[in-house]
Amino acid sequence: MTKNISSLQRPIPSGFNAESTAQEVIKGIDLTGKTVIITGGYAGIGLETTKVLVSAGAQVIVPARDLEKAKQNLTGIENIEFEKMDLMNPESIDAFCERFLASGRKLDILINNAGIMWVPLRRDSRGIESQLATNYLGQFHLTGKLWPALKKAKTARVISVSSYGHQMAPFDFEDPNFEKREYQTLLGYGQSKTACNLFSTALDERGKKFNIRAYSLHPGSVYGTDLGREEPIDLYIQMGTHDENGNIKPEVEARLKTIPQGAATTVWCATSPALQDIGGVYCENCDVAETDLGQIEHRFDDPTTIRGVQPYSIDKDNAEKLWKLSEKMLGFTFDTE
């Protein structure tokens, strides 16, 4: 194990696996009286996560950029609250957090689930590349502003839905916004997910004294989400997952996770008693992931091989460097005291 990586970054094992569903993972766990905030909790694996947490008794707040879509998708589900929030708009994040803090409630679980992928070069009003802004800096900002409510819970968890995509790129500290280098959408995505992992590493270190633990995770290769809605079909064909007509190959589809399976690791990280004394780790398949030191063969046409965590994305020195850069980019201090 590399000296800058947590000794806890190894499978437990948990008793669950890649085929486990979110409902199976949460069986026997009572979340009555717990308050959860989940970004993007109204579509894809986020929607499934919301439903499962509510079924266990949690009160779930879903901040959404598209409020009407959120209400439509979650109609008829009890113990749900909707709030307007856009992760690419810092004023929107501040306003949401101020409203929540004013309610005086504790926050037991924060799930940073919302994300984008395969997008062309776009920048927010501050000039920040959109995948970095949405997939990472927005969640850093949100978590920082909600810190008092997390402390109030006495025992809280912060979950960052990352991705195997972190293996596509380390964090570029010299040019995070693609101002000097050529923009490639997968480099932007990979960098943003590496940042999620590093954030959890640094956040857990700061939160331990308040019993706030942090986790990042890969949900798996999941069929039926809209994450790839902007992806050029040529890339799918090039990766070997689709045929020349743009249709997913049946043998690949058969190996993909269902949405209930895709939500399972998020729910496991958020609720599992097995993680009571473990934090700051990257998880997959409802367990702590194995560190990828070059011993794992990865093939995109076999999703079961898409696993493992790169040491650079959980390196403690990188995590501290990114924390300072994030505060500088956002213009505020994340006070963890």
Side-chain angles (χ1 to χ4, degrees):
M1 185 68 69
T2 305
K3 66 178 182 178
N4 264 348
I5 295 174
S6 170
S7 61
L8 299 172
Q9 186 64 57
R10 62 182 188 274
I12 300 176
S14 68
F16 297 106
N17 56 44
E19 296 182 358
S20 300
T21 66
Q23 203 68 61
E24 290 168 347
V25 163
I26 209 166
K27 188 176 180 180
I29 293 175
D30 184 6
L31 297 180
T32 303
K34 302 289 187 183
T35 302
V36 180
I37 292 176
I38 173 169
T39 63
Y42 58 97
I45 62 172
L47 175 58
E48 181 70 13
T49 303
T50 296
K51 290 177 178 177
V52 169
L53 295 176
V54 167
S55 74
Q59 180 74 24
V60 179
I61 299 151
V62 180
R65 185 173 54 84
D66 189 339
L67 209 52
E68 289 309 309
K69 181 178 178 180
K71 290 178 180 177
Q72 181 179 346
N73 288 358
L74 291 164
T75 297
I77 302 175
E78 296 183 354
N79 298 326
I80 296 281
E81 299 173 38
F82 306 98
E83 287 278 356
K84 184 76 172 175
M85 191 186 76
D86 182 351
L87 283 168
M88 285 183 65
N89 183 325
E91 291 80 15
S92 174
I93 296 172
D94 286 340
F96 166 75
C97 294
E98 286 167 11
R99 291 193 300 271
F100 182 81
L101 294 178
S103 74
R105 288 186 285 182
K106 63 184 174 66
L107 177 57
D108 300 281
I109 302 170
L110 171 60
I111 301 177
N112 293 306
N113 166 81
I116 58 174
M117 186 180 185
W118 298 111
V119 297
L121 179 59
R122 295 176 184 139
R123 302 186 187 278
D124 69 7
S125 60
R126 300 163 291 186
I128 297 171
E129 187 271 320
S130 65
Q131 292 184 96
L132 184 60
T134 303
N135 297 350
Y136 168 62
L137 284 171
Q139 70 184 37
F140 184 96
H141 187 161
L142 179 66
T143 307
K145 297 296 183 177
L146 291 173
W147 194 251
L150 288 162
K151 286 199 298 184
K152 187 179 285 191
K154 306 299 183 185
T155 302
R157 294 188 184 184
V158 179
I159 317 301
S160 294
V161 178
S162 182
S163 170
Y164 167 84
H166 80 271
Q167 296 223 13
M168 298 172 183
F171 193 88
D172 190 325
F173 289 97
E174 301 304 314
D175 188 22
N177 283 314
F178 293 89
E179 293 166 335
K180 301 168 187 172
R181 55 184 170 141
E182 180 185 356
Y183 177 75
Q184 295 180 36
T185 186
L186 288 181
L187 288 183
Y189 182 74
Q191 172 182 253
S192 73
K193 293 304 183 177
T194 287
C196 290
N197 298 355
L198 293 172
F199 176 48
S200 291
T201 299
L203 186 70
D204 189 76
E205 196 61 40
R206 289 162 168 77
K208 278 190 287 193
K209 61 185 174 184
F210 302 113
N211 289 319
I212 301 171
R213 305 310 300 258
Y215 311 88
S216 58
L217 66 100
H218 172 46
S221 300
V222 184
Y223 188 67
T225 74
D226 60 359
L227 189 61
R229 61 187 177 273
E230 292 195 62
E231 180 181 1
I233 198 64
D234 288 350
L235 280 174
Y236 280 126
I237 297 170
Q238 185 179 331
M239 290 162 64
T241 60
H242 289 58
D243 63 25
E244 63 276 7
N245 297 317
N247 300 312
I248 189 168
K249 294 178 180 177
E251 63 272 21
V252 175
E253 182 180 344
R255 297 189 191 108
L256 295 174
K257 287 189 178 187
T258 64
I259 286 178
Q261 290 170 335
T265 305
T266 301
V267 172
W268 184 74
C269 288
T271 64
S272 175
L275 291 172
Q276 185 173 338
D277 299 316
I278 300 173
V281 291
Y282 172 93
C283 302
E284 63 189 7
N285 297 330
C286 304
D287 204 339
V288 181
E290 179 183 2
T291 305
D292 184 3
L293 300 172
Q295 80 282 18
I296 302 173
E297 180 191 6
H298 305 292
R299 290 175 45 210
F300 284 104
D301 62 344
D302 183 0
T304 61
T305 69
I306 305 303
R307 61 185 184 86
V309 61
Q310 281 296 322
Y312 61 67
S313 78
I314 48 174
D315 179 273
K316 294 176 182 178
D317 288 346
N318 285 346
E320 291 304 315
K321 188 175 180 181
L322 179 62
W323 188 282
K324 292 173 183 172
L325 178 62
S326 302
E327 289 184 324
K328 183 178 179 181
M329 291 179 76
L330 291 171
F332 83 89
T333 301
F334 187 143
D335 185 2
T336 52
E337 295 303 318

